[in-house]
Amino acid sequence: MARYRGPKTKIARRFNEPIFGPSKALQKKSYGPGQHGRGRRRKQSEYAVQLMEKQKAKYTYGVLERQFSNLFEKASRKIGITGEILLQLLESRLDNTVFRLGIAPTRRAARQLVLHKHITVNGGVVNIASVSLRIGDIVAVRERSKSLECITNSLASNGTKRFPWLEWDASTFSGKVVATPMRDEIPENINEQLIVELYSK
């Protein structure tokens, strides 16, 4: 499956946010990457600001350009606030749900668990990270994978971090999608209106 394979720290420093998870580099180097990173930044155009926000969303959720465009197209056809629906579609991806449930420490790790067939959806093994989940779907760790150190460590460190649209059952290593997340329940620092304006040009 196609995905971004380039330097993660460079991207995180470009946005000055931990796009791929906690990074010590952001604490040491709070300026942008490259030889001109310390220099005074020129005022960005409206288009540049909008494009930057779209790029941030893509890197945050691990989605490439074509996937992102398709999701926006899908969001624009639905009734409601397009930007909010776009984020809801991104949040409903299987890899993101595995991450939100605390089964994996990052979305990249969650994607790897899915690809390696450690995750089931409604009792069946699914190895496609981009699968869109619906209310009522049950995401679980495969029986033979429950003892994996990366999973147990992640669950231990994320034990108290829960989201209102997901229910977690620690006894069965499974979670259930119980609602569609509202915008104020999605913690990502993304200005989705700028993305909508970009695609509206």
Side-chain angles (χ1 to χ4, degrees), residues 118-169:
H118 295 298
I119 303 298
T120 66
V121 176
N122 298 328
V125 175
V126 176
N127 65 342
I128 301 174
S130 60
V131 164
S132 184
L133 300 176
R134 298 179 180 180
I135 295 175
D137 285 345
I138 297 175
V139 178
V141 178
R142 199 172 179 180
E143 190 62 38
R144 70 181 190 185
S145 306
K146 290 180 179 179
S147 60
L148 283 177
E149 186 176 356
C150 61
I151 293 177
T152 55
N153 287 347
S154 180
L155 287 172
S157 60
N158 290 289
T160 58
K161 189 178 181 182
R162 297 295 172 217
F163 296 88
W165 67 91
L166 298 170
E167 284 184 355
W168 174 251
D169 186 344

Side-chain angles (χ1 to χ4, degrees), residues 25 29 31 45 47 49 52 61-62 65-66 72 77 89 91 97 99 101 118 122 137 140 171 185 199:
K29 302 178 180 180
Y31 49 89
S45 67
Y47 174 78
V49 173
M52 198 81 162
Y61 286 96
E65 184 62 42
R66 180 174 293 182
F72 183 84
R77 291 197 299 266
L89 290 175
E91 285 289 327
T97 304
F99 165 65
L101 287 170
H118 295 298
N122 298 328
D137 285 345
S171 63
E185 296 173 337
Y199 277 104

Side-chain angles (χ1 to χ4, degrees), residues 162-200:
R162 297 295 172 217
F163 296 88
W165 67 91
L166 298 170
E167 284 184 355
W168 174 251
D169 186 344
S171 63
T172 59
F173 278 52
S174 66
K176 184 177 182 180
V177 181
V178 295
T180 299
M182 296 295 100
R183 180 59 187 97
D184 59 355
E185 296 173 337
I186 300 174
E188 302 307 333
N189 182 27
I190 295 173
N191 187 339
E192 64 275 10
Q193 183 56 37
L194 292 176
I195 301 174
V196 174
E197 292 171 3
L198 176 66
Y199 277 104
S200 299

